[in-house]
Amino acid sequence: MNFEHLRALAAVVDEGTFEAAADRLHLSPSAVSQRIKALEKSVGQVVVRRTVPCTPTHAGSALLRLARQVQLLEAEARHALGSETSAVTSTPVAVNADSLATWFLPVLEEAAGWPDTTLDLHVEDQDHSSRLLRQGDVLGAVTADPAPVNGCRAVRLGAMRYVPAAAPALRDRFVGASGPDWSAMPVLAFNTKDDLQRRFLASRGGAGQPPMHTIPSSEAFVAAVRAGLGWGMVPELQVGSDFDDGRLVLLDPAAHHDVVLYWQSWTLQSGRLDRLAAAVRRAGRLLRS
């Protein structure tokens, strides 16, 4: 199996088109196409869906994992040999938005001192990020999945605690003698994958279909809760002193939901990957044990 063919596959998937991959590899689009066709001939399967953007097939995902592993090990071998041509390597990582806005930030501070590595962050829900490992899109992922992806190892980091919060004015508008009117009080969701609010409502015996706003930004989500747009399950790490200062109120002081997070990465003998994993574990000390 020709590594130049694998390199072309990674470039096509990363860049999304054959033309952009050609620019990255300093080749013609025809040369990139020939390398992909040669790779497909060697494995006897189609490896790239010719869509916009291009995506790997199941066979392509397996080869993409191999391509990224070889690229990482090649870069480390060049560094160990003192090669003047050793390049800065990109490290693709999947992390959920709430983690990126809170406890993961110290990882970025450490990465600022890594001259041989750039980070390529993929923001994905913690319940779905392990899929990116399976597809070969990332080298490591913050995930809620404790079962290691084939070829990976999983390390428990800790738990993010979410609590039901609202602006005092919103709570006062919808609270009655028997408590909040869950069926009428507007609620927020991060996106269609966010089911924290639905789980909370289900624990209250269901609440019909309250008005729901979608806010696909971790910072804007908390800002929208503060603004009174709706209530939501917010990370304790993100609200700071809002409860003490009265900007937010807990809708149920006894209720919370803990999301246990894990770091999964490939089982490679890689100093760069080990360095990243160590940084993630240190940052994860901010999570609940």
Side-chain angles (χ1 to χ4, degrees):
M1 193 174 295
N2 190 310
F3 177 58
E4 292 305 321
H5 299 167
L6 293 174
R7 193 191 302 274
L9 172 64
V12 168
V13 173
D14 289 345
E15 301 298 330
T17 67
F18 281 68
E19 291 76 12
D23 289 340
R24 171 171 149 180
L25 298 174
H26 305 293
L27 298 170
S28 68
S30 174
V32 173
S33 179
Q34 290 172 9
R35 292 185 180 188
I36 295 299
K37 288 179 180 177
L39 180 60
E40 291 175 331
K41 183 178 180 180
S42 69
V43 299
Q45 298 182 63
V46 174
V47 300
V48 172
R49 300 184 186 92
R50 272 70 166 178
T51 56
V52 181
C54 293
T55 58
T57 63
H58 179 72
S61 292
L63 293 174
L64 185 60
R65 290 194 296 270
L66 175 61
R68 297 203 192 283
Q69 291 173 8
V70 173
Q71 285 176 327
L72 178 65
L73 295 177
E74 179 191 34
E76 295 199 351
R78 288 182 179 277
H79 178 74
L81 293 171
S83 171
E84 295 181 358
T85 61
S86 59
V88 175
T89 57
S90 175
T91 304
V93 175
V95 58
N96 59 304
D98 289 341
S99 292
L100 184 57
T102 53
W103 67 268
F104 196 84
L105 291 174
V107 178
L108 308 185
E109 295 175 3
E110 289 200 41
W114 301 342
D116 56 356
T117 302
T118 59
L119 292 181
D120 176 17
L121 296 182
H122 297 239
V123 178
E124 180 57 278
D125 183 86
Q126 65 272 1
D127 292 324
H128 301 268
S129 53
S130 60
R131 171 181 56 84
L132 299 182
L133 276 171
R134 293 187 182 92
Q135 293 176 178
D137 291 331
V138 298
L139 294 172
V142 175
T143 175
D145 188 355
V149 170
N150 188 32
C152 294
R153 54 176 169 250
V155 177
R156 189 184 189 279
L157 296 171
M160 283 198 75
R161 174 159 292 183
Y162 292 79
V163 293
L170 180 76
R171 187 271 316 269
D172 293 344
R173 282 169 51 204
F174 292 94
V175 72
S178 59
D181 184 352
W182 299 110
S183 64
M185 184 162 50
V187 60
L188 307 180
F190 183 85
N191 57 24
T192 57
K193 298 175 183 176
D194 178 12
D195 64 351
L196 290 178
Q197 287 71 218
R198 296 187 187 91
R199 292 183 187 179
F200 180 85
L201 291 173
S203 72
R204 296 300 181 272
Q209 295 294 327
M212 179 174 288
H213 302 278
T214 302
I215 312 291
S217 160
S218 186
E219 294 84 354
F221 186 97
V222 176
V225 174
R226 293 188 184 112
L229 184 65
W231 72 272
M233 300 293 290
V234 299
E236 275 188 338
L237 287 174
Q238 206 167 1
V239 295
S241 61
D242 283 357
F243 294 123
D244 293 334
D245 297 342
R247 287 190 293 269
L248 293 177
V249 292
L250 283 170
L251 295 175
D252 184 342
H256 65 265
H257 181 80
D258 290 345
V259 177
V260 180
L261 298 176
Y262 300 83
W263 170 250
Q264 289 207 33
S265 59
W266 292 345
T267 52
L268 294 176
Q269 293 298 316
S270 164
R272 299 183 192 198
L273 204 52
D274 290 344
R275 179 180 61 191
L276 173 61
V280 172
R281 289 196 300 271
R282 282 190 291 272
R285 292 170 185 165
L286 293 173
L287 297 169
R288 285 180 172 267
S289 59

